[in-house]
Amino acid sequence: MSRTDGRMRADHRVRRFSTALATGAVVVSALGATAGSMWLLGAGAWLLISAVLLELVYRP
């Protein structure tokens, strides 16, 4: 039995969206750190917060 058995397409979509948010958070935070831009670091932090909240709220 694999981890994906019994999950619906919507579950996979939410998982992909959460992964995309986390990836975006890493990219934006890295750009902010290299550029020394606080607003990019803040945007990366908010992307990461939203990815974590999405995973906590939507647990299939």
Side-chain angles (χ1 to χ4, degrees), residues 4-27:
T4 59
D5 287 344
R7 290 192 180 169
M8 300 176 72
R9 285 179 58 149
D11 298 335
H12 293 290
R13 259 194 321 253
V14 170
R15 182 74 171 170
R16 273 191 310 230
F17 189 67
S18 177
T19 305
L21 282 173
T23 304
V26 169
V27 170

Side-chain angles (χ1 to χ4, degrees), residues 7 33 36 42 52 57:
R7 290 192 180 169
V52 168
V57 170

Side-chain angles (χ1 to χ4, degrees), residues 21-53:
L21 282 173
T23 304
V26 169
V27 170
V28 171
S29 295
L31 284 173
T34 30
S37 176
M38 287 302 290
W39 71 270
L40 278 175
L41 281 172
W46 280 109
L47 284 172
L48 185 63
I49 289 168
S50 60
V52 168
L53 285 177

